[in-house]
Amino acid sequence: MSTKLEHDSGGSAGVHPEKKDKRLGLGALTALVVGSMIGGGAFNLAADLAQGANAGAILIGWVITGIGIIALGLSFQNLTMRRPDLDGGVYSYARAGFGSFVGFNSAWGYWLSAWLGNVAYATLLFSSVGYFFPIFEGGQNIASIIGASIMLWLVHTLILRGVHEASMINIVTTIAKLVPIFAFITITLFFFNLENFTFDFWGQGGFSWGSVRDQVVSTMLVTLWVFIGVEGAVVLSGRARKRSDVGKATVIGLLGTLVIYLLISIMSLGLMTPENVANASQPAMAYLLESAVGPWGAMLINGGLVISVLGAWLGWTLLAAEIPFVAAKDGVFPKWFTKENQNQAPVNALWLTNGLIQLFLFTFLISDAAYNFAFSLASSAILIPYVFSAFYQVKVAKNGIGYSSGERKTRDLAIGLVASVYGLWLIYAAGIDYLLLTTLLYAPGTLLYMKAQRENGIKSLTKTEWMVAGVLTALAIFAVVRILSGNISVI
């Protein structure tokens, strides 16, 4: 499979027509971005936000997130134009800017986030199915594990048939999932109660800087979680029909999704007080609409969520398999990940990804908050890839990489700086516990990187790489100590 494009030409020179037809156009790429972002998280967004914040702080959180995520999305758009030779997106940018080991950890973290996100989707999916079939009620019992396992391997089989075919199905599910969300926003306009929205607007006791700051911080992993996927088109840029479509799809999908999320949050808080929204059962949107129009509202939303999560699950499995595949082709992951089947699907990467998801599905039996735990861990894991992409945007603009002589770089530099500050703010907002837990997943990756290096004839890590690996290992050990002492809960 050729992953290099004849940039700005609208296609690849010398590519066989049948292979060219298999490449992804603007519609498919935009659907992938929207489909990857709007998953199950959108349907439980109001409750997840309200658990730690009131309306005023939630709005501030959206302002911060909007500025930061738009800057990050514009960074991705700019980087696809300035470095069209980089086909691995967030991984490629980290590697090009800061070396192979940083690139590996960026790819590793992105991959971790992708399949952990699918674990979160699984519990939310069967919580919704439980509305129609009580045997799955709660989404975290034996029946749910069996159902999620069947769904996992059906998606696996679909992707083995080819990335292009899976992407076309993703377009259909993206359209289908937007229908109940737009219905929710439209219907709740007629039931919006300003008193509910303004009730305890800043929290009990009114406005105070300390309280509002803590509330805003509590929203950050939630808002990041629902925006994970903004880079979806960038990750699959090597399969795009036109390089210019990658940036367009990213910006179109991002802005549209931001408006949708903001409306969901505002409309939900106009139906119930923050306390009642926070205590709504999963998925919160279903029970909020049910309170307004009756049982048919919950049926509509739960049905839509099933379609939505299936689409997001499909999209994220595509991304999860693509990252180690691309990284392995660059020699950063072991060569084992480069294997494709006759349909050009990255078969080994796909088997390992879904095997790990299957293993983690059993956490449903030991955790009463599997969804929240999985999405928080997924959000923490993706911070490294996002931060280094923002850093690389700064480096590209500062050094004029890919710019013509005399072309202005000030705007792009400012965008990169805003995206970098946003990324660092997210690391602070994530909190020490989730960051420590994330190191437990990052630390073992060094062994995989060492194997890839040996395959490339490099027998040892550099001094800097040994230092970074040592810090990760030390933090992972510290995390284990805190878990065993009961200071960090994982169930």
Side-chain angles (χ1 to χ4, degrees):
M1 179 192 68
S2 174
T3 58
K4 302 297 182 186
L5 299 178
E6 187 70 41
H7 308 300
D8 301 320
S9 66
S12 297
V15 175
H16 190 280
E18 291 183 2
K19 289 190 176 182
K20 182 177 178 180
D21 290 340
K22 293 291 186 179
R23 295 192 179 277
L24 307 179
L26 178 61
L29 291 169
T30 303
L32 183 64
V33 174
V34 175
S36 298
M37 286 191 288
I38 300 183
F43 291 82
N44 211 54
L45 176 61
D48 291 335
L49 289 171
Q51 286 179 11
N54 288 66
I58 289 173
L59 290 179
I60 294 175
W62 277 122
V63 170
I64 294 173
T65 298
I67 294 172
I69 208 71
I70 288 172
L72 188 61
L74 290 174
S75 295
F76 288 136
Q77 182 190 38
N78 185 59
L79 290 172
T80 61
M81 293 189 301
R82 306 302 174 186
R83 291 299 310 269
D85 55 309
L86 301 179
D87 285 334
V90 290
Y91 143 72
S92 300
Y93 303 147
R95 179 173 182 252
F98 308 100
S100 292
F101 192 51
V102 172
F104 168 82
N105 279 290
S106 185
W108 181 255
Y110 191 92
W111 180 60
L112 290 172
S113 178
W115 63 260
L116 282 168
N118 276 356
V119 175
Y121 285 146
T123 181
L124 194 60
L125 171 63
F126 281 90
S127 177
S128 185
V129 172
Y131 182 86
F132 303 101
F133 304 99
I135 190 174
F136 299 112
E137 187 173 2
Q140 295 185 207
N141 53 20
I142 292 291
S144 297
I145 292 175
I146 294 173
S149 299
I150 293 172
M151 191 58 59
L152 171 69
W153 296 108
L154 284 175
V155 169
H156 177 91
T157 302
L158 176 62
I159 295 177
L160 286 178
R161 296 182 57 138
V163 172
H164 179 268
E165 285 71 15
S167 296
M168 295 305 101
I169 292 175
N170 186 59
I171 293 176
V172 176
T173 59
T174 297
I175 295 171
K177 77 174 68 173
L178 291 176
V179 172
I181 290 177
F182 286 142
F184 173 83
I185 293 171
T186 303
I187 293 170
T188 52
L189 282 172
F190 298 96
F191 294 89
F192 185 85
N193 186 326
L194 187 60
E195 291 184 2
N196 283 336
F197 185 74
T198 58
F199 181 79
D200 279 343
F201 190 74
W202 297 111
Q204 293 183 355
F207 181 88
S208 72
W209 286 110
S211 172
V212 172
R213 180 202 62 213
D214 292 343
Q215 290 181 62
V216 170
V217 166
S218 77
T219 69
M220 289 295 102
L221 281 188
V222 178
T223 55
L224 176 63
W225 161 242
V226 294
F227 273 115
I228 291 177
V230 62
E231 70 297 326
V234 178
V235 174
L236 289 174
S237 59
R239 301 179 188 268
R241 188 173 298 133
K242 293 172 61 179
R243 170 66 62 167
S244 59
D245 285 345
V246 175
K248 291 177 185 177
T250 299
V251 174
I252 293 170
L254 171 59
L255 293 178
T257 303
L258 177 60
V259 172
I260 290 171
Y261 287 156
L262 187 58
L263 289 173
I264 289 173
S265 302
I266 292 173
M267 293 299 105
S268 298
L269 292 170
L271 288 180
M272 294 182 179
T273 63
E275 182 179 0
N276 289 330
V277 173
N279 292 326
S281 302
Q282 291 185 7
M285 186 184 290
Y287 295 93
L288 287 166
L289 193 57
E290 184 178 45
S291 72
V293 301
W296 72 265
M299 293 179 64
L300 172 67
I301 298 302
N302 276 296
L305 185 143
V306 170
I307 297 172
S308 178
V309 172
L310 288 176
W313 197 336
L314 173 62
W316 270 106
T317 305
L318 282 170
L319 298 181
E322 188 76 3
I323 277 288
F325 167 74
V326 173
K329 293 189 74 173
D330 287 341
V332 177
F333 268 49
K335 294 178 182 178
W336 181 81
F337 287 93
T338 61
K339 184 179 178 181
E340 295 178 281
N341 65 7
Q342 66 274 18
N343 297 316
Q344 298 180 330
V347 58
N348 283 353
L350 190 62
W351 275 104
L352 180 60
T353 296
N354 287 335
L356 287 168
I357 293 172
Q358 178 67 75
L359 181 64
F360 267 64
L361 287 178
F362 291 105
T363 62
F364 289 7
L365 297 177
I366 62 173
S367 173
D368 59 359
Y371 172 73
N372 294 80
F373 178 72
F375 90 64
S376 296
L377 204 54
S379 298
S380 295
I382 208 166
L383 290 179
I384 294 299
Y386 279 0
V387 167
F388 278 101
S389 293
F391 288 171
Y392 189 53
Q393 164 74 358
V394 173
K395 186 173 182 178
V396 164
K398 183 175 180 294
N399 296 335
I401 301 171
Y403 290 80
S404 59
S405 178
E407 189 175 0
R408 297 186 65 179
K409 302 179 283 290
T410 306
R411 171 186 171 274
D412 294 339
L413 180 60
I415 288 171
L417 289 172
V418 171
S420 298
V421 171
Y422 174 63
L424 294 173
W425 160 253
L426 287 174
I427 291 175
Y428 163 76
I432 186 64
D433 286 350
Y434 276 114
L435 291 176
L436 283 174
L437 286 173
T438 306
T439 64
L440 281 174
L441 300 173
Y442 266 95
T446 303
L447 298 176
L448 211 62
Y449 177 71
M450 293 174 69
K451 176 174 174 55
Q453 291 292 85
R454 285 195 296 271
E455 290 177 352
N456 295 324
I458 303 172
K459 296 183 179 180
S460 180
L461 303 181
T462 66
K463 289 182 179 180
T464 301
E465 291 171 345
W466 275 118
M467 287 178 60
V468 174
V471 170
L472 283 174
T473 303
L475 290 173
I477 293 172
F478 182 50
V480 171
V481 171
R482 285 181 61 81
I483 292 171
L484 295 177
S485 62
N487 292 316
I488 299 180
S489 175
V490 295
I491 59 175

